[in-house]
Amino acid sequence: MIVDGVWASVQCASEDFWEDQAGHIRKLRRAEDRVILVAMAIWPNGTQTVLHYEIAVQESEAAWLLFFEHLRQRGLQTHLVKLIVSDGTTGLPKVIRALFPLAQHQRCITHKVRAMLRHLGYEQLPHLDAQGQELSHSEAKKLRYSQIKHDAYAIYKAPDWEEAIVALLVFAQKWTDLEPDAVRTFTKDFALTLSFYDFDESIHSLIRTSNALERLFREFRTKADEIGAFPNEESCLAIFFLVSRRDHAKHDRLNNHGE
């Protein structure tokens, strides 16, 4: 099960009032940020299904607890969940341990690499490229960025957990002196990014990232940007429903075509 949240702007009533042109007193509404929490199932055959979604004020531990309680009330049997994929949202790992004691936790490798890249210090940059051509400062930074990003993702191409750990040690040896903060961020809780190795290789690409949900979120954000601030939470959820249904239908067509 992949869990994540996507933010949107929603018009919410405030405690203030205003007078319209007809002299009527109305409550003032202000645009506020709200997050749609979402759970997507990945079945052993690779099929993807959005299980549940709801609006919350923030991605807090309390919000996730309530979210999973609603999902349980709808029939989810928590002891049957084998793996939960998420980003590094604060509070969520504690909730997963409490409610899904038999499930493994997979940290999204895409979010892991992105977090590392945000900590690059760009010290001791190279002056020449692989062909011996002189690099400008901006070119050297781009080269550092692309090289360490490539090396980080290459770790997850290892055939198994053990070889991935060996690849991580090689990575750390190569980059620690140049980018200590980035390597420290990347190696923290690194084992959580390798849980996918305990499952069938055929679904590794689906369960080692939250990309299946991120793709859906991109489509929703496109619609949300066109609308601006949703007039209410119901309209926000309605658009998310339509986007998720279209995404589901698209995958059905692709799967049927593949068969």
Side-chain angles (χ1 to χ4, degrees), residues 1-4 37-44 47-53 64 67-72 74-87 92 95-97 99-101 103-108 195 199 203 206-213:
M1 185 166 63
I2 304 175
V3 295
D4 203 353
L37 306 179
V38 187
M40 172 183 280
I42 303 294
W43 305 98
T47 302
Q48 305 167 21
T49 308
V50 173
L51 295 177
H52 182 66
Y53 54 91
W64 280 115
F67 174 86
F68 286 125
E69 174 58 22
H70 292 159
L71 190 51
R72 189 192 64 78
R74 293 186 59 199
L76 177 71
Q77 299 180 59
T78 56
H79 67 282
L80 296 180
V81 177
K82 304 297 184 184
L83 179 75
I84 296 182
V85 186
S86 75
D87 60 14
L92 187 53
V95 174
I96 292 173
R97 289 193 298 270
L99 301 184
F100 300 89
Q104 295 191 63
H105 184 194
Q106 167 69 35
R107 284 281 301 276
C108 171
S195 300
F199 298 83
I203 60 171
L206 297 175
I207 63 173
R208 64 188 175 192
T209 73
S210 58
N211 288 354
L213 268 186

Side-chain angles (χ1 to χ4, degrees), residues 31-164:
E32 297 182 6
D33 289 337
R34 292 290 185 269
V35 60
I36 305 177
L37 306 179
V38 187
M40 172 183 280
I42 303 294
W43 305 98
N45 64 0
T47 302
Q48 305 167 21
T49 308
V50 173
L51 295 177
H52 182 66
Y53 54 91
E54 63 183 65
I55 281 189
V57 175
Q58 56 186 336
E59 284 189 81
S60 64
E61 180 180 331
W64 280 115
L65 279 170
L66 185 61
F67 174 86
F68 286 125
E69 174 58 22
H70 292 159
L71 190 51
R72 189 192 64 78
Q73 290 173 1
R74 293 186 59 199
L76 177 71
Q77 299 180 59
T78 56
H79 67 282
L80 296 180
V81 177
K82 304 297 184 184
L83 179 75
I84 296 182
V85 186
S86 75
D87 60 14
T89 302
T90 303
L92 187 53
K94 183 178 179 181
V95 174
I96 292 173
R97 289 193 298 270
L99 301 184
F100 300 89
L102 301 181
Q104 295 191 63
H105 184 194
Q106 167 69 35
R107 284 281 301 276
C108 171
I109 67 172
T110 301
H111 283 86
K112 188 67 167 172
V113 174
R114 287 176 184 169
M116 175 197 70
L117 295 173
R118 290 195 293 269
H119 285 81
L120 291 176
Y122 296 108
E123 301 294 336
Q124 304 178 55
L125 291 172
H127 300 292
L128 303 175
D129 63 16
Q131 288 72 42
Q133 299 297 315
E134 188 169 347
L135 294 168
S136 67
H137 183 70
S138 62
E139 289 172 338
K141 288 181 66 175
K142 288 180 181 178
L143 181 61
R144 169 68 56 81
Y145 183 96
S146 63
Q147 286 178 335
I148 196 169
K149 177 181 178 181
H150 172 272
D151 289 355
Y153 275 120
I155 295 172
Y156 300 108
K157 295 180 181 179
D160 53 44
W161 191 94
E162 290 79 7
E163 292 200 31

Side-chain angles (χ1 to χ4, degrees), residues 37 122 149 172 175 198 214 243:
L37 306 179
Y122 296 108
K149 177 181 178 181
W175 290 108
D198 290 334
E214 288 292 339
V243 169

Side-chain angles (χ1 to χ4, degrees), residues 179-194:
E179 296 290 353
D181 289 343
V183 173
R184 190 179 305 110
T185 299
F186 189 61
T187 55
K188 182 180 179 182
D189 298 326
F190 184 79
L192 287 177
T193 68
L194 303 180

